[in-house]
Amino acid sequence: DQQVKQNSPSLSVQEGRISILNCDYTNSMFDYFLWYKKYPAEGPTFLISISSIKDKNEDGRFTVFLNKSAKHLSLHIVPSQPGDSAVYFCAASAEVGANNLFFGTGTRLTVIP
Amino acid sequence: ETGVTQTPRHLVMGMTNKKSLKCEQHLGHNAMYWYKQSAKKPLELMFVYNFKEQTENNSVPSRFSPECPNSSHLFLHLHTLQPEDSALYLCATGQSSSYNSPLHFGNGTRLTVT
């Protein structure tokens, strides 16, 4: 059973608008959450993370929101740019180190110029 | 030089072949991982090495055999694979002693088993 779920396999957004990617998790022990971005023919690259002691973390155009009671997190990209077109993976961890890093299935974001 | 390098980028092999995937890191990390990415599935953790010692085998069939000869290199030896083993195999590194340390991935090896 998947502990991290990304229910939207794809998302299309106009350039300049906000992109919102969603992620849900089932394990209440998860306390560290990450977003990775993956271009075709490349490995995933780390984008942004958030610890469960926070409900928001911002880095430039990227903001991650965490709602622990709903077991939900989201990644906001604003303004969206064509170069943001990629697959975005949500991941979660419950223990020290990354041995137990659980990934979602990914959401393909397409930013339309 | 990129932090995590995987070779080959693409591999086609028959079910009776023996091949190896290679991963090399230049980040000084103490943990190395093999992940499998199949279509429409989440990344699946296969093996973990901490300080060159295997600490996790995620119920992976014995036709996959990892090897970590030193802290910079990780191999995945393949033999008598099945067509359903066709996938993208990703190597990753991290600092296991550092909580909240993100993984760094290589570009993967796209494996096709015929």
Side-chain angles (χ1 to χ4, degrees):
Chain A
D1 187 32
Q2 274 186 252
Q3 298 189 52
V4 177
K5 299 178 183 179
Q6 293 176 258
N7 293 319
S8 297
S10 62
L11 173 69
S12 292
V13 171
Q14 286 290 134
E15 180 178 3
R17 298 290 187 103
I18 185 171
S19 295
I20 300 177
L21 297 100
N22 293 304
C23 178
D24 296 292
Y25 61 95
T26 57
N27 189 340
S28 58
M29 297 300 291
F30 287 151
D31 59 1
Y32 181 55
F33 305 89
L34 310 90
W35 284 95
Y36 282 83
K37 175 180 178 180
K38 184 181 184 301
Y39 292 117
E42 294 184 12
T45 55
F46 169 71
L47 188 59
I48 191 169
S49 64
I50 187 167
S51 164
S52 60
I53 62 173
K54 295 185 176 181
D55 54 18
K56 176 183 174 181
N57 188 26
E58 190 172 351
D59 183 2
R61 296 185 297 114
F62 302 90
T63 303
V64 56
F65 294 92
L66 176 63
N67 182 334
K68 290 186 290 293
S69 60
K71 295 191 179 68
H72 177 84
L73 67 156
S74 60
L75 175 68
H76 293 211
I77 307 173
V78 56
S80 301
Q81 299 173 355
D84 296 328
S85 297
V87 177
Y88 290 79
F89 291 97
C90 170
S93 175
E95 296 182 17
V96 174
N99 289 11
N100 294 70
L101 197 58
F102 294 88
F103 285 84
T105 50
T107 296
R108 181 177 301 279
L109 173 66
T110 303
V111 180
I112 304 165
Chain B
E1 239 180 283
T2 57
V4 182
T5 304
Q6 288 187 246
T7 54
R9 292 298 307 274
H10 301 273
L11 178 63
V12 179
M13 60 186 288
M15 289 191 284
T16 58
N17 290 160
K18 289 185 180 181
K19 296 286 184 183
S20 295
L21 310 184
K22 179 182 176 183
C23 175
E24 184 173 0
Q25 64 132 335
H26 302 278
L27 299 171
H29 289 161
N30 56 26
M32 299 185 78
Y33 308 77
W34 280 116
Y35 278 87
K36 175 184 178 182
Q37 186 186 14
S38 304
K40 299 182 180 179
K41 287 187 176 182
L43 273 73
E44 301 171 55
L45 179 63
M46 299 176 71
F47 300 104
V48 181
Y49 278 81
N50 279 307
F51 297 99
K52 302 184 294 177
E53 297 295 322
Q54 185 177 324
T55 57
E56 191 152 339
N57 175 339
N58 224 24
S59 303
V60 179
S62 59
R63 56 185 185 270
F64 295 91
S65 173
E67 179 190 2
C68 188
N70 55 60
S71 58
S72 299
H73 294 88
L74 183 66
F75 295 91
L76 187 62
H77 303 300
L78 317 170
H79 64 98
T80 59
L81 294 192
Q82 304 298 311
E84 59 265 29
D85 296 322
S86 298
L88 179 68
Y89 288 84
L90 290 160
C91 173
T93 69
Q95 280 296 118
S96 62
S97 59
S98 173
Y99 186 47
N100 299 347
S101 170
L103 296 181
H104 294 255
F105 286 87
N107 287 334
T109 295
R110 173 69 62 184
L111 173 68
T112 303
V113 181
T114 60

